[in-house]
Amino acid sequence: MSFQECAEEAWRLRYGIDSSIPEVFTPYLAHRSVRNYLDLPIAEETISHLIGCAQSAATSSNLQLWSVISVQDPTRREQLAQLCGDQHQIREAAWYLTFFADIDRIRRISAKVGEEAKGLDYVEFFTMAVIDAALAAERLVCAAEAMGLGICYIGGLRNNPEEVKRTLNLPSGTFGVFGLCLGWPDPAHSASIKPRLAQENVWFREQYPAEHDVAEYDDRMVEFYKSQKMNAGLNWSMRSARRVGEGQLTGREVLKKWLEQQGFNLR
């Protein structure tokens, strides 16, 4: 199933304005999170092809500091669903992938060739690994959406890193960055394109601005929230400010210490 918006309509839904944008951009502008899927399989060969797309993403110095674990066992899926905030799409997706920052592989390989790999103790390599995982996943997502699949990123994989580690038998030097649901979208459940900040709020010329004015976006998001029957009376600034409050970390407040125990960010 492909979503029906043309590029111009998708642009309008993103920004609230018109643009004569070429249709070649349609698959990228039409992205949305899909949480309801048809009970249809996705062939393992297709997943292999999608992983090939993921591995075709840019990777710093060709170190390839990421890995992915697919989780199909229903019992393990249920465990992960509970650990990730009891999200039903984890149970229902045809495939569930977990993407990892991974310095374990390169550390082991370095030892085999007689190198200590002391640089892996630094924050830089954790940063590189997280970037690698994100770039790989997004390349996979673009390919999946191009063939009509729906996706949903699961940041809740970071809610309980120690239990995720046990569930997936993760070694030191790995960190679950996010999960990813893949499935054929259920047309009975709408999945809307979500508005984004105006480009002048994210695209700056030459230097960073002294102030940010997002009033126009707040107004658009109030209407979007109403259409989705969510957050009545709140605009984007209000909702986002609450989301970044200390009480909203859902277990992730332990990540700094846990990452050090896992061998990341030691220096």
Side-chain angles (χ1 to χ4, degrees), residues 118-139:
K118 289 290 188 179
L120 294 176
D121 293 345
Y122 285 84
V123 172
E124 165 65 4
F125 282 93
F126 171 72
T127 304
M128 286 170 60
V130 171
I131 291 170
D132 268 11
L135 291 175
E138 188 62 10
R139 179 61 63 101

Side-chain angles (χ1 to χ4, degrees), residues 3-18:
F3 297 112
Q4 302 303 311
E5 299 90 357
C6 65
E8 290 187 359
E9 183 179 359
W11 186 276
R12 188 163 52 252
L13 291 168
R14 289 289 184 212
Y15 296 117
I17 57 175
D18 292 327

Side-chain angles (χ1 to χ4, degrees), residues 92-103:
E92 297 167 8
W95 285 80
Y96 183 59
L97 308 178
T98 52
F99 279 81
F100 294 86
D102 185 352
I103 61 173

Side-chain angles (χ1 to χ4, degrees), residues 14 36 61 65 70 100 133 169 194 197 204 210 231 245 261 266:
R14 289 289 184 212
N36 295 280
S61 300
L65 301 177
S70 59
F100 294 86
N169 192 34
K194 186 175 291 184
L197 288 161
F204 312 129
N231 290 327
Q261 294 170 349
L266 300 180

Side-chain angles (χ1 to χ4, degrees), residues 164-180:
V164 169
K165 175 183 175 178
R166 279 195 281 268
T167 300
L168 298 178
N169 192 34
L170 300 179
S172 177
T174 59
F175 165 58
V177 182
F178 44 74
L180 185 66

Side-chain angles (χ1 to χ4, degrees), residues 228-246:
Q228 302 297 304
K229 297 181 172 57
M230 59 188 291
N231 290 327
L234 295 182
N235 61 30
W236 178 79
S237 293
M238 296 172 182
R239 184 174 185 269
S240 298
R242 294 183 183 185
R243 176 63 183 85
V244 298
E246 191 171 8

